[in-house]
C-alpha cells in the first residue's frame, strides 16, 4: 500500500541513505538542483525496489520545476514495471505537477488510476482528470482539453469514489477558481451532485457555506435553491447561518 511503500523507503538503509544524500545536495547547491541529484534519480530507476523508486518520484516532484522533460522521462523509467506505485499519493502529486502542457502523456496513467479496484486510487484519478478539465490554459492543445473534459465527465457519472474525487475538485474551484467562467462551470457541476446518493458527497457540498463570503450570494442562489428543495438536507447549521448572515442582500428571496 501507499503507506507501506513509503515507510519502507524512509526506514530502509538504502532509502535513508538516498534521502540523506538528496538533503546534503540541497545544502550544497546554490540553484537548488545539481547534476548529482539527477544521477541519483537515474540510479533509482535502475533498481528494482518499489520503495527506492517511490522516493525518487518524490524528489522528481521538486526537480520538475527545473527540467520538466527530463523529470517526465525519468518518471516513465521509474514507473515502468512498477504500476503499484500509481496507488500512492506521491505519484498522484507528481502527475498533478506534470499536467502542464503534457496532459496527453499523463492521461494513460490517470486512466489506470480510474480503472483501479481500490476506491482511494479511483478518487485520486478522478481528481486529476477534473483538474485537467478545468485547466484549459495549462493544456497543450484543444485536442488535449477535449480529451480531459471527456475523461472528467466520465468520472462525475462513475462510481462513488470517482464522484467523490470529482466533487472535491469542483467544490474547491467553484469558490477558488481564478477565472469567473471556471468558477461558474464548477458550480454547475456541483449542482448535478446535490441529490447524490453518497452522503460523503452531500457533506462536501454543504461544507463551504461554513466560511463562504457575502460576494458569492447571488452567484450561488441556484445552488442554494437546489439544496433547499432537496430532501437530503435537513436543517443545516452552515447553510442557515450563511442565509442569516448574508440573506439581507435579497430579503424576499431569502
Amino acid at each position: 500500500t501507499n503507506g507501506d511503500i513509503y515507510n519502507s523507503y524512509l526506514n530502509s538503509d538504502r532509502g535513508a541513505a538516498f534521502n540523506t544524500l538528496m538533503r546534503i545536495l540541497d545544502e550544497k547547491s546554490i540553484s537548488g538542483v545539481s547534476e548529482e541529484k539527477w544521477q541519483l534519480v537515474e540510479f533509482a530507476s535502475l533498481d528494482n525496489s518499489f520503495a527506492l523508486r517511490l522516493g525518487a518520484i518524490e524528489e522528481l516532484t521538486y526537480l520538475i520545476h527545473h527540467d520538466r522533460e527530463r523529470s517526465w522521462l525519468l518518471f516513465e523509467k521509474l514507473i515502468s514495471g512498477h504500476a503499484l506505485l500509481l496507488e500512492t499519493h506521491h505519484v498522484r502529486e507528481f502527475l498533478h505537477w506534470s499536467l502542464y502542457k503534457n496532459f496527453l502523456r499523463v492521461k494513460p496513467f490517470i486512466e489506470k488510476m480510474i480503472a483501479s479496484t481500490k476506491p482511494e486510487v479511483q478518487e485520486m484519478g478522478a481528481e486529476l482528470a477534473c483538474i485537467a478539465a478545468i485547466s484549459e490554459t495549462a493544456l497543450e492543445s484543444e485536442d488535449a482539453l477535449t480529451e480531459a473534459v471527456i475523461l472528467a465527465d466520465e468520472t462525475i457519472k462513475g462510481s462513488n469514489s470517482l464522484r467523490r474525487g470529482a466533487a472535491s475538485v469542483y467544490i474547491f474551484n467553484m469558490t477558488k477558481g481564478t477565472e469567473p467562467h471556471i468558477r461558474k462551470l464548477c458550480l454547475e457541476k456541483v449542482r448535478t451532485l446535490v441529490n447524490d446518493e453518497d452522503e460523503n458527497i452531500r457533506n462536501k457540498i454543504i461544507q463551504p457555506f461554513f466560511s463562504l463570503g457575502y460576494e458569492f450570494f447571488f452567484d450561488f442562489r441556484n445552488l442554494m435553491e437546489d439544496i433547499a428543495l432537496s430532501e437530503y438536507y435537513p436543517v443545516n447549521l452552515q447553510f442557515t447561518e450563511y442565509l442569516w448572515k448574508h440573506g439581507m442582500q435579497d430579503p424576499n428571496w431569502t
Side-chain angles (χ1 to χ4, degrees):
T1 64
N2 175 25
D4 291 339
I5 297 174
Y6 192 66
N7 285 335
S8 296
Y9 164 63
L10 293 177
N11 297 317
S12 66
D13 290 342
R14 288 194 302 156
F18 183 88
N19 188 43
T20 300
L21 282 171
M22 284 293 187
R23 302 293 71 80
I24 291 171
L25 292 172
D26 283 340
E27 294 298 320
K28 287 178 59 179
S29 176
I30 297 175
S31 66
V33 64
S34 63
E35 183 58 31
E36 288 94 335
K37 292 186 81 169
W38 292 108
Q39 291 173 2
L40 275 174
V41 174
E42 181 75 40
F43 167 78
S45 73
L46 301 175
D47 195 285
N48 234 1
S49 165
F50 279 87
L52 196 60
R53 285 175 179 244
L54 183 59
I57 290 171
E58 182 183 33
E59 295 297 332
L60 286 180
T61 304
Y62 306 101
L63 290 172
I64 195 172
H65 301 295
H66 298 277
D67 190 329
R68 302 188 66 83
E69 182 64 16
R70 190 174 185 181
S71 296
W72 180 256
L73 292 175
L74 282 169
F75 169 77
E76 289 182 317
K77 291 179 69 174
L78 287 160
I79 204 76
S80 177
H82 294 74
L84 184 66
L85 295 175
L86 286 171
E87 299 179 2
T88 66
H89 290 282
H90 300 86
V91 167
R92 184 257 189 225
E93 192 66 12
F94 176 78
L95 292 176
H96 181 190
W97 287 109
S98 300
L99 285 171
Y100 183 76
K101 305 300 183 185
N102 196 43
F103 173 75
L104 293 177
R105 293 165 80 182
V106 177
K107 182 188 174 191
F109 297 102
I110 298 177
E111 290 175 323
K112 288 178 182 177
M113 296 170 79
I114 288 172
S116 171
T117 58
K118 296 184 178 181
E120 64 274 18
V121 181
Q122 287 186 12
E123 191 166 338
M124 290 191 295
E127 289 171 353
L128 290 170
C130 294
I131 289 169
I134 62 172
S135 304
E136 53 190 39
T137 59
L139 300 194
E140 61 270 36
S141 66
E142 286 295 326
D143 287 343
L145 179 59
T146 298
E147 293 287 328
V149 169
I150 291 171
L151 192 59
D153 285 346
E154 290 174 359
T155 67
I156 206 169
K157 299 171 185 174
S159 67
N160 283 9
S161 301
L162 292 175
R163 298 197 314 279
R164 286 179 187 180
S168 295
V169 171
Y170 291 134
I171 290 167
F172 179 83
N173 285 281
M174 73 182 183
T175 60
K176 306 295 185 183
T178 55
E179 298 293 335
H181 72 284
I182 295 297
R183 294 198 298 270
K184 183 178 179 181
L185 170 64
C186 291
L187 181 59
E188 291 307 308
K189 295 293 185 182
V190 172
R191 288 185 65 197
T192 69
L193 294 167
V194 164
N195 292 304
D196 197 276
E197 64 182 28
D198 188 273
E199 184 178 6
N200 180 287
I201 291 173
R202 300 198 304 270
N203 288 338
K204 286 176 183 286
I205 291 172
I206 207 72
Q207 191 61 35
F209 287 96
F210 186 74
S211 57
L212 204 62
Y214 73 93
E215 68 273 18
F216 292 99
F217 181 81
F218 289 101
D219 288 343
F220 277 47
R221 291 212 303 189
N222 287 337
L223 176 60
M224 288 190 282
E225 287 177 351
D226 292 342
I227 292 170
L229 291 170
S230 173
E231 63 184 59
Y232 290 109
Y233 299 84
V235 176
N236 181 279
L237 290 178
Q238 289 101 322
F239 183 59
T240 52
E241 181 77 7
Y242 183 79
L243 288 174
W244 177 256
K245 286 182 178 179
H246 307 297
M248 288 303 291
Q249 294 184 70
D250 189 342
N252 290 333
W253 178 86
T254 300

